[in-house]
Amino acid sequence: MIAAIREAVAERLGSCDGVVALRRRNGGVAPHLFQKGDELAEMELSPRYPLMTVVSRLHKAFPAIRLGVVARGCDERAYVEMAKRNQIDPTRLEIIGFACTAEEAQACYCREPSPKHPVAGTPPAPGPPNPLVAKYDSLPLEERRSFWKKQFSKCIKCYGCRNICPECFCEACAMEDMAWVEPGLLAPPFPTFHLIRAMHMASRCVACRECEHTCPAYIPLTVLYDLMRRDIADLLGYIPGADIEAQQPLSLSLEQAPLKK
Amino acid sequence: MEYQNTLTTCIYCGCGCSMYVETIDGRITGVWPDKTNQISGGRLCIKGWNVTGFVGHPDRLKNPLLRKEGKLVEVTWDEALSQVAEKLSGIKRESGADSIGLMTSAKCTNEENYLMNKFARAVLGTNNIDHCARL
Ligand code: SF4
Ligand code: SF4
Ligand code: SF4
């Protein structure tokens, strides 16, 4: 598979100023901007990093460049929501997509494990839903509260979940606002600290699971965001990352986007 | 147009979490946890995520300071190091090596701390060495 992607990257290097992908160097793998003459043999596909954040930073730093990016399904979904919020310029980006493997789709509970037009790989069946969501759903209200209370009491307030999230890009973050989050407390105030981000992920979270993977306290954060995605789908019929033409409902009035329930 | 991720180790404590410092045209634009690292496995604490904060900080000292006539003035590394060597040799000569003590730091790498221990024991000739992580 990687040979086909390397070929597509080499081709794009003819028409773009660079291609964002992963590179292996010094025993580690990190995002890299491949440019003409770079050794494509160093290119890798795993482990995932939020590459659209890299594209966004480069688009902002260099307002005229055209980029390519090697993207998975979740990268493409992140791109869709970032483009809608002016974090990426779609006219200056070409996506070189590839499908994830069936194992990866299962491990990520991924419902959309491929970009729309992959140049490599065969899109596998979607992964199963996260079983923790069903388990959580079966709990009575009081126990749901204590479930999160227990989970969030482990939080070391590293802000990693926010830092790594491709959809968290605000210049001033409410999670650092003393009016909402009293400083100096560990664990951070319950439930504001985590619910701020959960609310802000409404119509934004594209289920890439980066937040959960980087959480040093092993908090099952995507249970919360999966529930948020479900509510937004049920109430407003919106699936973040699915359609670049669909207007995000939180920027519309209730007349333009009436509640479905 | 230059984009780099430089592999490095967090300098805030002894755990040794691994990370990439991201730069665009030489300016730091972020930190990525190193997902391939066995120790930190793509996770960092708040200090790791903000480890580059001091790099461009206005309070950061860019040159050594030497107190001359009661005032701190910027000097070259050569002058600062000669001064330190001269004073330490003088103290050792007059009062013995055990009148000198060294405090090293959790903000240095393991290797730098090792060098400090060698400097204390093999160069100065004292076992008086300690570390801020004991606090
Ligand atoms: S899964 Fe986590 S990191 Fe990914 S978009 Fe949703 S909130 Fe952000
Ligand atoms: S938590 Fe909210 S305010 Fe903070 S960066 Fe994310 S979306 Fe923005
Ligand atoms: S990544 Fe985990 S520990 Fe860090 S702030 Fe987020 S929830 Fe808390």
Side-chain angles (χ1 to χ4, degrees):
Chain A
M1 176 151 80
I2 194 156
I5 299 169
R6 286 198 184 114
E7 214 171 282
V9 169
E11 195 184 302
R12 285 313 190 302
L13 284 177
S15 57
C16 297
D17 298 297
V19 174
V20 174
L22 300 173
R23 181 178 72 167
R24 178 175 294 278
R25 267 269 170 109
N26 304 322
V29 176
H32 181 63
L33 176 65
F34 285 91
Q35 289 172 281
K36 268 201 201 91
D38 276 2
E39 193 45 79
L40 289 182
E42 289 179 325
M43 210 185 91
E44 293 276 351
L45 301 177
S46 316
R48 298 183 295 137
Y49 281 82
L51 293 182
M52 289 302 169
T53 302
V54 175
V55 169
S56 170
R57 287 176 187 166
L58 287 166
H59 266 181
K60 287 177 192 171
F62 307 104
I65 53 162
R66 248 189 102 64
L67 292 176
V69 61
V70 175
R72 292 173 182 262
C74 50
D75 292 316
E76 188 175 73
R77 297 197 298 274
Y79 150 77
V80 164
E81 294 307 316
M82 290 171 94
K84 284 181 197 177
R85 292 167 179 82
N86 298 324
Q87 299 302 311
I88 283 181
D89 178 356
T91 65
R92 295 192 283 130
L93 187 66
E94 285 183 37
I95 291 181
I96 303 158
F98 72 98
C100 291
T101 63
E103 293 73 35
E104 285 169 330
Q106 289 198 358
C108 291
Y109 307 122
C110 183
R111 310 301 292 160
E112 198 76 53
S114 172
K116 297 248 171 359
H117 308 288
V119 301
T122 313
N130 184 348
L132 254 187
V133 172
K135 202 176 146 202
Y136 176 83
D137 264 341
S138 68
L139 296 176
L141 203 58
E142 228 358 84
E143 279 177 46
R144 293 185 191 189
R145 191 183 147 85
S146 48
F147 171 85
W148 287 121
K149 195 143 198 196
K150 192 163 157 220
Q151 289 296 343
F152 291 155
S153 72
K154 300 188 293 186
C155 174
I156 63 163
K157 208 184 178 198
C158 68
Y159 288 92
C161 46
R162 177 203 63 182
N163 295 349
I164 207 143
C165 175
E167 301 305 325
C168 268
F169 35 68
C170 304
E171 301 251 317
C173 174
M175 290 165 86
E176 289 180 24
D177 185 333
M178 288 199 248
W180 292 104
V181 177
E182 189 186 337
L185 297 180
L186 260 192
F190 175 84
T192 39
F193 185 78
H194 293 93
L195 288 197
I196 288 172
R197 218 177 87 79
M199 293 299 165
H200 293 188
M201 285 305 110
S203 84
R204 281 162 86 157
C205 170
V206 293
C208 67
R209 322 233 173 249
E210 288 283 0
C211 50
E212 194 164 306
H213 291 162
T214 207
C215 176
Y218 295 84
I219 298 171
L221 290 165
T222 60
V223 170
L224 196 57
Y225 307 138
D226 279 354
L227 292 166
M228 190 51 101
R229 280 169 62 82
R230 186 174 74 185
D231 279 356
I232 292 294
D234 289 353
L235 293 172
L236 294 158
Y238 187 79
I239 299 170
D243 178 2
I244 196 151
E245 301 300 331
Q247 275 189 289
Q248 40 133 344
L250 298 189
S251 64
L252 300 173
S253 70
L254 274 178
E255 271 142 40
Q256 293 166 309
L259 289 182
K260 298 205 187 296
K261 270 192 192 165
Chain B
M1 181 173 66
E2 199 201 332
Y3 177 88
Q4 286 291 343
N5 274 304
T6 307
L7 185 59
T8 186
T9 308
C10 182
I11 43 94
Y12 272 126
C13 82
C15 289
C17 295
S18 178
M19 58 181 53
Y20 288 93
V21 173
E22 181 194 69
T23 49
I24 296 180
D25 278 354
R27 290 186 69 88
I28 294 175
T29 46
V31 165
W32 294 113
D34 173 8
K35 296 197 183 197
T36 27
N37 185 268
Q38 298 289 313
I39 294 166
S40 46
R43 297 171 166 93
L44 294 172
C45 79
I46 192 165
K47 292 194 281 184
W49 277 105
N50 293 283
V51 73
T52 57
F54 60 81
V55 175
H57 198 279
D59 286 352
R60 184 174 176 188
L61 296 181
K62 297 203 177 75
N63 291 299
L65 301 180
L66 188 62
R67 200 178 301 279
K68 288 184 176 170
E69 290 160 12
K71 266 213 189 107
L72 286 171
V73 287
E74 274 195 5
V75 295
T76 61
W77 277 105
D78 276 351
E79 184 177 349
L81 290 174
S82 309
Q83 179 83 7
V84 170
E86 207 174 284
K87 293 266 165 158
L88 286 179
S89 313
I91 293 167
K92 185 176 167 179
R93 215 170 27 243
E94 283 160 29
S95 322
D98 280 336
S99 55
I100 301 172
L102 286 87
M103 284 299 292
T104 171
S105 170
K107 282 204 173 200
C108 304
T109 60
N110 200 32
E111 291 74 12
E112 285 162 339
N113 279 315
Y114 177 81
L115 283 178
M116 197 68 154
N117 135 74
K118 276 289 175 204
F119 179 67
R121 295 190 166 96
V123 178
L124 295 175
T126 177
N127 289 325
N128 293 337
I129 181 164
D130 211 334
H131 189 282
C132 69
R134 180 200 276 276
L135 294 178

